[in-house]
Amino acid sequence: MLIPNEKRILTLLARNGRLSKRDIERLSGLGWATVVKLVSRLEKEGYIQRGGILERPSIGGVKPESYILSKRHPLAVGIDVEYTTTRIYLTNLMLEELASRQVSTPKLGTLESAVDFLENLYRSFGKETLLPHEAIAGIGVGFPTWLVPSGFDTFGLIEAELGKRLQVSVRVDNNVRAYTSFKHASDKANNNFILVTIRSGIGVGIVLNGKLYRGAEGKAGEISHFVIVRKGGELCRCGKRGCLETVVNQNVLVEEYLKRKGLRDTDTPMQKVFTEASGGDCDAQEILDGAARNLAYALSALILSININRVYLAGHFGASGQVFCQKVEEYLNELVYPHSSISIQYEDIVDSAFPLGAAMMILQDFCDFSIK
């Protein structure tokens, strides 16, 4: 187990790249003797390695030796389980993609079937990559809340059972919170924001004062189960009817568009709906306007509660994504405080951010990714 000052040094190297001992002394505030001792120990244990001579003078005119993070220690596995697709990544403290694999997510009706799936996926991935199990610091899993009936209770149960079977540290959280962690680590400007993803469901991650906010029971931001349709709504995965997720997700929007057009093309991407709306298609415009209004209605309650004015909306919308965000923004500014200015920024979903964010749940024991 690392001591806090060792973790501080690894964090500095993760943020700054190559550093000399004098750089580490200056940036960490640690004494010279402490830096020399800890750098030597971290190098011996394989956490860092020498990165070559820095082309700048040091004390006495001697060019200093630099240090960088090791690419092979510690290693973590991140798994993103989505309703249709599962991705598994091997990564390090630099969050590099060292190996990856994508498979279809089977129907997981029970906790046991979910753990069986994750165990088999991890073992087969290890065989493919020739990865020694003992080299893995742990496994982080991003998991949809309602993929199996036990909902939020699933996370702790998977951690315990999968960890027992594999004899390795396992941490499980909602997959969108994993994505949000990666977003926060890579975005050095913002310490307060809401991230909304629209895939086959709607996910929300919240960062408050530089920290990922989960709430008292890990349920913070679950606007996907905010009831929009009061009567006659579709049955949701959570067991209620008319939840936001039943009227706003990429599958529902595409299905509604195809229905209006009398088409049956099951391979139509959601991006086409946005493209057609931008081109003046009235059906597509009406569908997206309704989606923007419903999303804004659910988001307004969250924004009014925690007073955040920056929202990132991520999806596979293509070049027209920001136009949709502007519509959501218009509705939101009608619903929240007078004279408020809510900013909604679109970004394409980066699929790798889900498993890499999951791996960060393990790697945070070695590096503080929240430090800007």
Side-chain angles (χ1 to χ4, degrees):
M1 179 66 70
L2 294 176
I3 63 174
N5 284 339
E6 289 173 325
K7 184 175 179 179
R8 186 186 305 184
I9 291 174
L10 294 182
T11 300
L12 287 172
L13 288 170
R15 283 293 174 192
N16 296 281
R18 295 197 304 164
L19 293 174
S20 69
K21 291 176 184 175
R22 288 296 181 188
D23 292 330
I24 294 171
E25 178 191 28
R26 174 175 53 84
L27 294 170
S28 68
L30 299 173
W32 173 250
T34 300
V35 169
V36 171
K37 177 182 177 181
L38 295 181
V39 166
S40 176
R41 187 157 68 193
L42 288 170
E43 183 181 14
K44 182 178 180 180
E45 294 178 358
Y47 289 101
I48 64 176
Q49 62 190 51
R50 302 199 179 204
I53 301 297
L54 291 172
E55 292 300 320
R56 53 182 167 83
S58 183
I59 296 175
V62 179
K63 293 180 179 179
E65 179 80 54
S66 69
Y67 293 85
I68 59 175
L69 292 173
S70 169
K71 290 180 176 288
R72 305 300 297 181
H73 182 70
L75 296 175
V77 169
I79 302 176
D80 169 44
V81 182
E82 218 260 333
Y83 289 104
T84 57
T85 303
T86 295
R87 297 175 179 85
I88 181 169
Y89 274 53
L90 175 68
T91 189
N92 53 25
L93 282 178
M94 291 171 279
L95 300 178
E96 296 175 319
E97 179 188 336
L98 303 178
S100 65
R101 181 185 175 195
Q102 178 175 310
V103 299
S104 296
T105 305
K107 185 176 181 180
L108 303 174
T110 65
L111 175 68
E112 184 177 4
S113 65
V115 176
D116 287 344
F117 168 63
L118 291 169
E119 179 187 7
N120 292 333
L121 176 63
Y122 172 78
R123 292 190 186 280
S124 63
F125 182 66
K127 289 180 180 178
E128 288 178 7
T129 57
L130 302 178
L131 182 67
H133 179 63
E134 59 273 13
I136 299 298
I139 304 168
V141 182
F143 204 83
T145 304
W146 295 103
L147 189 58
V148 296
S150 47
F152 283 96
D153 295 336
T154 302
F155 299 164
L157 295 172
I158 290 177
E159 283 184 358
E161 182 60 25
L162 189 60
K164 179 181 177 181
R165 293 189 190 185
L166 296 176
Q167 292 297 295
V168 70
S169 175
V170 176
R171 291 176 185 164
V172 183
D173 201 350
N174 179 276
N175 47 7
V176 179
R177 280 202 284 265
Y179 188 105
T180 304
S181 295
F182 183 86
K183 166 72 178 173
H184 182 231
S186 59
D187 185 342
K188 298 184 179 181
N190 297 300
N191 278 324
N192 292 279
F193 65 86
I194 296 169
L195 173 72
V196 181
T197 63
I198 300 181
R199 297 197 286 177
S200 56
I202 290 182
V204 173
I206 304 169
V207 172
L208 290 177
N209 299 321
K211 299 293 183 181
L212 188 66
Y213 182 68
R214 291 180 171 84
E217 298 177 319
K219 301 177 183 178
E222 282 288 329
I223 64 168
S224 54
H225 302 290
F226 188 97
V227 175
I228 293 291
V229 183
R230 292 290 178 180
K231 293 183 179 180
E234 294 291 328
L235 182 65
C236 182
R237 298 181 181 103
C238 71
K240 297 191 301 183
R241 288 188 176 273
C243 294
L244 176 66
E245 189 171 284
T246 66
V247 293
V248 182
N249 71 58
Q250 62 184 15
N251 298 330
V252 167
L253 297 180
V254 170
E255 287 169 6
E256 177 63 21
Y257 176 76
L258 295 177
K259 180 180 177 181
R260 292 193 182 202
K261 296 299 183 184
L263 302 173
R264 295 184 179 180
D265 183 5
T266 56
D267 293 327
T268 300
M270 184 166 66
Q271 183 175 335
K272 179 175 176 60
V273 183
F274 285 83
T275 301
E276 294 300 317
S278 296
D281 186 300
C282 293
D283 288 324
Q285 289 176 343
E286 188 174 323
I287 290 168
L288 295 184
D289 184 76
R293 183 175 60 253
N294 287 329
L295 181 58
Y297 185 63
L299 265 176
S300 65
L302 182 58
I303 289 172
L304 284 166
S305 300
I306 59 178
N307 188 27
I308 283 183
N309 61 6
R310 179 177 292 275
V311 179
Y312 294 100
L313 181 57
H316 296 295
F317 305 163
S320 304
Q322 191 57 41
V323 176
F324 178 70
C325 286
Q326 289 170 358
K327 179 59 68 174
V328 177
E329 192 175 296
E330 289 174 13
Y331 282 123
L332 261 177
N333 283 310
E334 292 176 3
L335 293 167
V336 297
Y337 327 94
H339 313 299
S340 292
S341 180
I342 309 299
S343 170
I344 300 188
Q345 181 178 327
Y346 173 72
E347 56 183 45
D348 286 321
I349 280 181
V350 180
D351 290 326
S352 62
F354 287 95
L356 290 176
M360 285 172 60
M361 290 189 273
I362 298 297
L363 296 174
Q364 66 186 1
D365 289 345
F366 306 90
C367 175
D368 189 347
F369 293 100
S370 67
I371 293 178
K372 299 299 183 182

